[in-house]
Amino acid sequence: YMGHFLSVYFFSPPPPGTIGTLTNPMLGPQQAASSSGVLRDTRCIRDVWSDNLAAEMDHLARVVEQYRFISIDTEFPGVVVHPLSSPTDKSSYQWKTIRCNVNILKIIQLGITVCDDNGNYPPGISTWQFNFQFDVNADMYAQDSLDMLERAGIDFERHHTDGVNVNVFAELMIASGIVLNEDVRWIAFHSGYDFGYLLRVLTNQHLPEEETDFFDLLRLWFCNIYDLKYLIKSCPTLNHRSGLNQLALDLKVDRIGPAHQAGSDSLITCTLFFRLLQSFEPQLRHVDRMANVLYGLGEDAIEVQKDAFEQHPAHTRFFQQPVY
């Protein structure tokens, strides 16, 4: 197998002037899981199953008209294959690993958290946790990853009986106007798998062979992306190799809900994004220039290829054999 390496992929930033107040954010108090205690109650997270999907998608679409920053996280059944690669192949090993696994596995959860451009959350529900159909007796997974998700409280029996159909979700998501929308900003942490699974669901197609085609699709569907793990590389006192939980400890941000559930992870990712902008204002003053860069993908950071590639923070182990 090819050795792992780290690189960063750049694609076109959003047009000048589209970032708005992001160049000088967080001028006032933030509604966050912090000293204000505004969102400490887990009732800000709404679980979405097949029976309330339509109503909650309608609710989410109406909220996004005002709260145009969207943080996402996915939970998925691990990594079950690692591709063979040759030195002359233009696609990175990391991209091939993402592509192979996303194309054969199923998404389990998607967390979506919304806020405005100052990091303020809407009253009431700010986070939607979509629970998709998944059958441990029929669908492929890595056992260690499944065990971790079960310990986090994911109810696989209910995913089997009441889970959201991904095709119905995709239809409602596209119709909502949330995607394919240049006014929306997307936030994630180490986001290759997150956007890979979301693209797979929305397009109902396998991820493309070439990495450049993947980024073309990202630019079309999501337009403006901020990868928190990439932003950390500009913050001198933080370690970009740290996971999400360690970053929360470093920045003194409290978690709402259980780790390794997509709703809680998307919420803390959103809070951390704006805390970063506040705490490292000199380094991130022009964060719009760092948009549309995904940590760990691409061919633009050749100098750091010797670094070991880190898996998604919720799936840090390598799994050599799939389980059915």
Side-chain angles (χ1 to χ4, degrees):
Y1 289 5
M2 290 283 291
H4 299 295
F5 64 89
L6 173 67
S7 58
V8 181
Y9 193 99
F10 291 85
F11 60 104
S12 301
T18 60
I19 298 300
T21 59
L22 256 188
T23 55
N24 192 12
M26 294 297 299
L27 298 179
Q30 179 191 11
Q31 283 188 327
S34 58
S35 57
S36 67
V38 172
L39 291 179
R40 291 186 186 277
D41 196 324
T42 56
R43 285 178 294 184
C44 67
I45 302 175
R46 174 62 53 84
D47 263 304
V48 183
W49 301 90
S50 58
D51 60 350
N52 65 337
L53 173 63
E56 293 306 326
M57 282 299 302
D58 180 67
H59 184 186
L60 175 59
R62 285 185 279 109
V63 170
V64 171
E65 292 177 2
Q66 180 178 353
Y67 297 85
R68 293 184 175 272
F69 278 74
I70 298 179
S71 175
I72 68 166
D73 180 79
T74 59
E75 298 301 334
F76 52 90
V79 176
V80 299
V81 294
H82 293 278
L84 294 173
S85 186
S86 67
T88 59
D89 198 324
K90 293 183 179 179
S91 288
S92 70
Y93 182 88
Q94 292 88 343
W95 163 244
K96 285 190 169 184
T97 303
I98 291 172
R99 177 181 176 273
C100 290
N101 284 278
V102 170
N103 284 348
I104 65 174
L105 299 175
K106 290 185 176 181
I107 187 173
I108 295 173
Q109 282 186 337
L110 169 67
I112 291 180
T113 295
V114 300
C115 68
D116 66 17
D117 60 321
N118 287 311
N120 298 306
Y121 297 101
I125 305 301
S126 63
T127 300
W128 284 260
Q129 182 167 270
F130 296 90
N131 300 282
F132 295 101
Q133 291 175 345
F134 193 87
D135 184 357
V136 296
N137 295 313
D139 297 324
M140 192 184 302
Y141 59 87
Q143 186 64 56
D144 283 12
S145 188
L146 199 78
D147 292 344
M148 179 194 69
L149 295 175
E150 285 184 325
R151 289 194 298 271
I154 291 181
D155 184 350
F156 282 103
E157 180 61 32
R158 190 169 182 190
H159 276 265
H160 175 49
T161 59
D162 301 327
V164 171
N165 181 286
V166 292
N167 295 323
V168 176
F169 169 83
E171 292 177 4
L172 293 172
M173 187 75 164
I174 294 170
S176 72
I178 296 172
V179 293
L180 303 166
N181 186 340
E182 292 188 352
D183 293 329
V184 172
R185 304 325 190 223
W186 297 83
I187 306 165
F189 183 91
H190 203 173
S191 58
Y193 279 99
D194 297 320
F195 286 108
Y197 274 103
L198 194 47
L199 269 180
R200 174 86 168 88
V201 169
L202 291 172
T203 63
N204 195 28
Q205 295 180 352
H206 284 163
L207 296 183
E209 190 83 24
E210 297 298 327
E211 192 175 13
T212 53
D213 294 333
F214 170 66
F215 281 94
D216 288 342
L217 287 171
L218 282 186
R219 187 70 177 90
L220 172 66
W221 284 88
F222 304 107
C223 303
N224 308 296
I225 296 172
Y226 301 93
D227 190 321
L228 195 60
K229 197 170 178 71
Y230 174 72
L231 299 184
I232 294 170
K233 298 178 75 174
S234 298
C235 304
T237 60
L238 298 177
N239 183 355
H240 68 86
R241 294 180 178 85
S242 297
L244 191 62
N245 288 336
Q246 183 59 51
L247 180 61
L249 289 174
D250 292 341
L251 295 179
K252 297 180 173 56
V253 170
D254 297 329
R255 176 182 286 277
I256 301 170
H260 306 315
Q261 288 207 22
S264 176
D265 283 0
S266 71
L267 178 54
I268 200 168
T269 297
C270 191
T271 304
L272 286 168
F273 174 74
F274 286 94
R275 179 63 62 85
L276 266 186
L277 297 185
Q278 182 182 43
S279 301
F280 296 90
E281 194 273 339
Q283 295 85 0
L284 301 177
R285 180 181 296 115
H286 301 294
V287 70
D288 55 308
R289 299 174 184 174
M290 303 177 188
N292 299 331
V293 181
L294 298 195
Y295 182 94
L297 289 177
E299 301 174 3
D300 290 309
I302 304 301
E303 70 277 5
V304 291
Q305 286 184 4
K306 62 182 180 180
D307 288 353
F309 176 69
E310 300 167 277
Q311 295 295 323
H312 186 288
H315 309 276
T316 55
R317 299 182 182 86
F318 287 92
F319 306 103
Q320 299 300 333
Q321 296 184 4
V323 179
Y324 297 89

